[in-house]
Amino acid sequence: MLFQVEMDVEIPHGLDPEMIARLKDTERRRAQELQRSGQWRHLWRVAGRYANVSIFDVESNEALHDILSTLPLFPFMRVNVTPLCRHPSSIHADDR
């Protein structure tokens, strides 16, 4: 199943800068691991915001939730999920 996931990150002011740097580094490594596995298909930054729009390919809503909750910055995220399906007028047979 394909899902569009919008993630807005809101790290509270006043948190330890070193802790934030470690979280961001761990987040980057986790995101790259999920991309290599094929579960995190696409990742785009939203210009001008600490946010991204991503496409996930996972077997269920629960699987998506389980993946998202493993992200180190998850406690600081606002997440919006939209399930996707192929449009009948698409000229492509894949998800490019």
Side-chain angles (χ1 to χ4, degrees):
M1 296 177 68
L2 294 177
F3 295 91
Q4 173 186 303
V5 180
E6 300 171 46
M7 296 177 244
D8 284 280
V9 181
E10 297 175 354
I11 298 173
H13 295 287
L15 288 182
D16 176 37
E18 288 181 20
M19 182 189 82
I20 294 169
R22 283 191 305 272
L23 281 173
K24 288 179 178 181
D25 184 59
T26 307
E27 179 85 13
R28 177 186 52 77
R29 284 187 274 119
R30 179 68 177 134
Q32 290 175 350
E33 173 187 315
L34 289 165
Q35 289 174 75
R36 286 185 193 97
S37 77
Q39 295 173 300
W40 197 328
R41 284 277 187 93
H42 302 282
L43 172 59
W44 294 279
R45 174 175 284 165
V46 177
R49 293 181 13 220
Y50 192 179
N52 73 70
V53 175
S54 297
I55 303 296
F56 283 82
D57 186 1
V58 295
E59 61 273 2
S60 67
N61 296 334
E62 184 177 5
L64 178 63
H65 177 78
D66 290 346
I67 286 170
L68 295 175
S69 65
T70 69
L71 298 174
L73 291 173
F74 182 73
F76 307 110
M77 289 181 186
R78 238 182 350 191
V79 178
N80 185 38
V81 175
T82 304
L84 300 174
C85 59
R86 187 138 341 270
H87 194 284
S89 296
S90 175
I91 62 170
H92 299 289
D94 57 15
D95 65 351
R96 45 182 165 144

